[in-house]
Amino acid sequence: MRVLLVEDDAGVADALAESLQARGHTVSHVIRGSDALHRHREADVILLDLNLPDMHGLDVLRKVRQVSPVPVLVLTASGDERSVVRGLRLGADDYLAKPIRLAELLARIDAVVRRAAVSAAPQDGVVRVEDVEIDLGARRVLVGGVDIGLTTKEFAVLAVLAARPGTAVSRQQLMDEVWGDAYLAVSRSLDVHLTQLRAKLDRPGLLTTIRGFGYRLGRD
């Protein structure tokens, strides 16, 4: 896999590049955001630090997202929750807080590339996540082969997430698509439906909350 590493700390970059190359990945390292914008088409995945010498990493992400769907994994300082949320809103596929653990980095790279390979499900398609089968056309959900009997709104919430398996979906987008307008929808109603949906699915961790942003169907 071709990895574009955008990182201005030479020590961090060298360690990451060496570890990734040892596992068969091809790593290109750039320091500046402007270089990343020139070379993003060469990569299968981008590892993007946010603190760059010439521009903020989120500006790089925004510009890349205007022209390319390449998976982007944001590298943030520990506890920088605001940047994480902004990055997800701008189209980052995932994030890692520094100091970076190699095993987690490798797993997340694999995960975001798998997600990118899955196109949005058609309206009449069937989405399978582990032993959960979501039939968007028949509006039916089977867990372990058993129909769990969702309400209309519960199914609508799950369908929005299932159309983007493994991808973070914001609360606002969920309410826009299920209720028609996030500003008219009652946020508490979404919470109630998600609680009921999790209980009926009975698969802890399969429907993940992304703090301060929204939700994702599928494990890391």
Side-chain angles (χ1 to χ4, degrees), residues 15-155:
L16 289 177
E18 182 178 352
S19 297
L20 290 169
Q21 288 167 345
R23 285 157 178 80
H25 299 298
T26 300
V27 180
S28 299
H29 172 223
V30 298
I31 296 173
R32 299 166 61 86
S34 56
D35 293 328
L37 293 176
H38 282 108
R39 300 185 60 180
H40 68 87
R41 296 188 187 281
E42 303 171 11
D44 298 311
V45 62
I46 297 175
L47 304 183
L48 176 63
D49 184 39
L50 297 185
N51 297 312
L52 301 174
D54 59 335
M55 66 176 71
H56 197 282
L58 291 179
D59 292 326
V60 176
L61 173 61
R62 178 175 53 80
K63 291 177 182 293
V64 167
R65 274 293 166 264
Q66 290 174 351
V67 296
S68 172
V70 61
V72 178
L73 201 158
V74 167
L75 309 179
T76 72
S78 180
D80 190 3
E81 186 174 295
R82 178 178 296 182
S83 291
V84 167
V85 173
R86 288 183 62 200
L88 290 170
R89 290 189 185 279
L90 287 171
D93 294 271
D94 210 336
Y95 67 93
L96 268 178
K98 295 180 178 180
I100 295 167
R101 295 176 296 180
L102 179 61
E104 184 178 5
L105 172 63
L106 292 169
R108 289 184 181 269
I109 288 175
D110 288 343
V112 297
V113 171
R114 283 198 308 270
R115 292 169 197 164
V118 179
S119 59
Q123 291 302 306
D124 61 348
V126 176
V127 177
R128 294 177 179 84
V129 183
E130 297 182 7
D131 67 341
V132 177
E133 182 177 299
I134 305 156
D135 190 325
L136 298 174
R139 301 183 66 82
R140 180 180 62 188
V141 178
L142 304 179
V143 177
V146 178
D147 191 331
I148 60 173
L150 298 183
T151 67
T152 300
K153 276 291 190 288
E154 289 166 358
F155 182 86

Side-chain angles (χ1 to χ4, degrees), residues 134-215:
I134 305 156
D135 190 325
L136 298 174
R139 301 183 66 82
R140 180 180 62 188
V141 178
L142 304 179
V143 177
V146 178
D147 191 331
I148 60 173
L150 298 183
T151 67
T152 300
K153 276 291 190 288
E154 289 166 358
F155 182 86
V157 170
L158 184 59
V160 173
L161 297 169
R164 307 160 181 83
T167 301
V169 179
S170 71
R171 286 180 64 90
Q172 178 173 334
Q173 185 171 354
L174 267 171
M175 290 189 289
D176 276 341
E177 295 196 29
V178 175
W179 280 271
D181 189 331
Y183 295 100
L184 296 178
V186 179
S187 182
R188 176 60 181 157
S189 181
L190 174 58
D191 294 332
V192 169
H193 284 93
L194 282 164
T195 298
Q196 295 171 341
L197 182 56
R198 283 189 169 113
K200 290 184 178 181
L201 288 171
D202 194 25
R203 293 295 182 270
L206 192 64
L207 206 168
T208 305
T209 297
I210 301 174
R211 186 178 176 187
F213 181 74
Y215 307 91

